[in-house]
Amino acid sequence: MNQLSDRLNSLSPSATLAMSQKSNELKAQGVDVINLSVGEPDFNTPDHIKEAAKQAVDENFSRYSPVPGYLGLRNAIVDKLQNENGLTYTAAQISCANGAKQSVCNVILVLVNPGDEVIVPAPYWVSYPEMVKLAEGTPVVVSAGIEQDFKITPDQLEAAITPKTKALILCSPSNPTGSVYSKEELEGLAKVLEKHPQVIIIADEIYEHINYIGKHQSIAQIPSMKDRTVIVNGVSKAYAMTGWRIGFIAGPEWIVKAVNKLQGQYTSGPCSVSQKAAEAAYTGTQKPVEEMREAFARRRNLIVELAKEVPGFEVNVPEGAFYLFPKCSSFFGKSNGERTIADSDDLALYLLEEAHVACVGGSSFGAPDCIRMSYATSDENIVKAITRIKDALAKLS
Ligand code: PMP
Ligand code: GLU
């Protein structure tokens, strides 16, 4: 008997977290697995941020915080948005949550009615369509293949909008493709959105600082979009703080107020000590952010160069984030002994078993022809992983 709700039964588990768990289990059994599955910086949180957290413990930041987060943190975010992005918000337009993941979900939950449509460009981050389903909305997937750099065009967006469209989720730099929308491309999408004022833009900018082509461009910087965009960002990726769980939204006050109401009944404000750490991240030196970005850029060059040498892979050069998303459909239907590769999920399992490298198959990202590799790991691991992958793939015929 299945006593779970239809809402829960309709959800798929997170493929990124599932693959990472599988890889950790194999590691615990003594298998030398290289984990390219989960996307998180391999660096430690910078020291000055850790010191701020220690101080917060000693100063007894141990009680409930305001639901949207401490004013000090929200003001630090207001300053960050002004100074780094040229965007003006008030503290009342900021709400902090337990990571950018909760921030995205909060916005979807306060906007989407059963049957409402949310446009999700594919390849997408695994959680977006599931969050829309959680809200009993309908994810409308708009696919962009490797030949268009995995980015949707204004015409595709126009064709996907209906009177039921409530929101568009735009992720740039993108997880899983690393593609980055240019200012001109964002303006092209904005032109279409101007004709459909009912559509709210959820701009997931969590990879803002991991960008190899220049300054981050936000769709909220386009004046006609500012009042209908909710920016999602946080400290997880830029400051190597995935475990601290602090994300935020910046957007129209009516949406922020609604998110605060939801959060007030659901989780309350996020962890007090983590908030103090996040405040130090935004107000302190930004040198570690640039150093990590440079390391990711070097690794990006390395993995692209190596992956291009793998026969059967079609490789796109990512412009941001820390993922490579090669097209691997040339292996579908091929076999190694008893084992036949049906799709990219199969290929990911094959690579885990044969090469001891954990990747994530593309179907959970809405791109079943591709496979995702996170290169947030050492140069040595990257070289070893791609060598092993190349050898394992060579056994398929
Ligand atoms: N959005 C995207 C595109 C991500 O890749 C991630 C990483 N998990 C998140 C949001 C969530 O970030 P956080 O760890 O801050 O919840
Ligand atoms: N964003 C990371 C990833 O895609 C973390 C895992 C998750 O939250 O899905 O691998």
Side-chain angles (χ1 to χ4, degrees):
M1 189 166 56
N2 183 344
Q3 292 175 290
L4 298 171
S5 67
D6 295 344
R7 193 181 300 109
L8 193 279
N9 284 326
S10 77
L11 282 193
S12 310
S14 165
T16 48
L17 299 181
M19 195 53 159
S20 180
Q21 195 180 329
K22 206 174 246 168
S23 144
N24 290 339
E25 280 165 11
L26 276 178
K27 238 186 210 160
Q29 290 165 22
V31 182
D32 169 29
V33 178
I34 302 175
N35 188 0
L36 306 187
S37 65
V38 77
E40 68 175 335
D42 56 324
F43 300 106
N44 292 324
T45 302
D47 285 342
H48 70 281
I49 298 175
K50 293 196 282 197
E51 287 309 318
K54 290 178 200 168
Q55 197 182 330
V57 171
D58 288 340
E59 289 176 359
N60 296 307
F61 280 89
S62 49
R63 300 188 169 84
Y64 292 131
S65 75
V67 170
Y70 292 122
L71 188 59
L73 171 58
R74 284 182 290 137
N75 280 333
I77 293 168
V78 165
D79 289 348
K80 171 252 176 294
L81 289 162
Q82 186 69 61
N83 300 334
E84 289 188 348
N85 311 103
L87 290 168
T88 306
Y89 291 94
T90 65
Q93 291 179 283
I94 312 293
S95 183
C96 302
N98 300 296
K101 189 178 252 180
Q102 191 191 356
S103 291
V104 177
C105 200
N106 279 344
V107 178
I108 291 171
L109 287 174
V110 305
L111 289 178
V112 174
N113 277 318
D116 281 353
E117 294 174 358
V118 176
I119 298 177
V120 183
Y124 47 70
W125 179 42
V126 291
S127 296
Y128 298 147
E130 302 305 315
M131 290 169 174
V132 174
K133 280 167 25 191
L134 192 63
E136 298 178 41
T138 306
V140 174
V141 173
V142 178
S143 293
I146 196 166
E147 66 292 342
Q148 57 188 88
D149 195 17
F150 298 118
K151 292 185 272 194
I152 61 163
T153 63
D155 286 347
Q156 285 183 292
L157 176 61
E158 180 79 72
I161 295 175
T162 76
K164 284 187 175 171
T165 307
K166 202 61 177 279
L168 159 71
I169 306 182
L170 203 60
C171 181
S172 177
S174 155
N175 175 3
T177 64
S179 295
V180 177
Y181 283 85
S182 68
K183 184 163 182 261
E184 293 67 34
E185 286 163 342
L186 292 174
E187 281 167 353
L189 299 179
K191 272 220 157 57
V192 173
L193 292 162
E194 279 166 12
K195 290 187 263 171
H196 305 277
Q198 88 279 11
V199 182
I200 303 290
I201 301 102
I202 303 173
D204 186 341
E205 304 185 353
I206 192 77
Y207 295 99
E208 164 178 19
H209 287 104
I210 306 168
N211 182 325
Y212 314 122
I213 57 161
K215 207 169 158 38
H216 175 71
Q217 303 291 334
S218 172
I219 194 162
Q221 289 163 333
I222 299 169
S224 60
M225 296 292 110
K226 168 86 189 312
D227 290 342
R228 45 191 286 205
T229 298
V230 183
I231 290 179
V232 175
N233 206 332
V235 292
S236 298
K237 314 287 167 167
Y239 300 93
M241 291 176 71
T242 45
W244 297 77
R245 312 307 303 132
I246 297 292
F248 71 83
I249 57 166
E253 213 170 315
W254 64 274
I255 296 179
V256 174
K257 269 191 179 153
V259 162
N260 293 342
K261 182 161 94 174
L262 173 69
Q263 205 163 265
Q265 292 289 22
Y266 191 30
T267 58
S268 303
C271 168
S272 54
V273 173
S274 294
Q275 287 189 55
K276 296 302 283 182
E279 185 180 333
Y282 285 122
T283 54
T285 173
Q286 301 300 302
K287 209 164 148 247
V289 178
E290 177 53 20
E291 285 166 2
M292 289 188 270
R293 193 195 67 82
E294 284 167 12
F296 288 131
R298 200 189 57 241
R299 295 161 174 186
R300 189 271 311 246
N301 294 344
L302 177 65
I303 198 166
V304 165
E305 191 188 316
L306 294 171
K308 278 189 169 167
E309 299 291 307
V310 177
F313 269 175
E314 195 179 329
V315 176
N316 197 45
V317 180
E319 297 178 325
F322 36 61
Y323 306 104
L324 191 72
F325 204 57
K327 187 170 170 184
C328 57
S329 47
S330 68
F331 297 102
F332 300 170
K334 292 193 172 176
S335 314
N336 176 0
E338 295 285 276
R339 174 135 208 170
T340 301
I341 307 298
D343 53 27
S344 66
D345 292 344
D346 241 14
L347 192 68
L349 265 185
Y350 172 74
L351 292 178
L352 184 62
E353 286 161 18
E354 182 71 27
H356 297 158
V357 179
C359 307
V360 189
S363 53
S364 332
F365 302 96
D369 282 356
C370 299
I371 190 163
R372 192 189 80 169
M373 300 168 183
S374 162
Y375 54 87
T377 187
S378 65
D379 293 12
E380 190 196 346
N381 273 346
I382 291 172
V383 173
K384 226 161 55 174
I386 302 293
T387 308
R388 288 191 196 173
I389 288 174
K390 194 174 171 183
D391 292 347
L393 292 176
K395 294 183 191 160
L396 293 170
S397 57

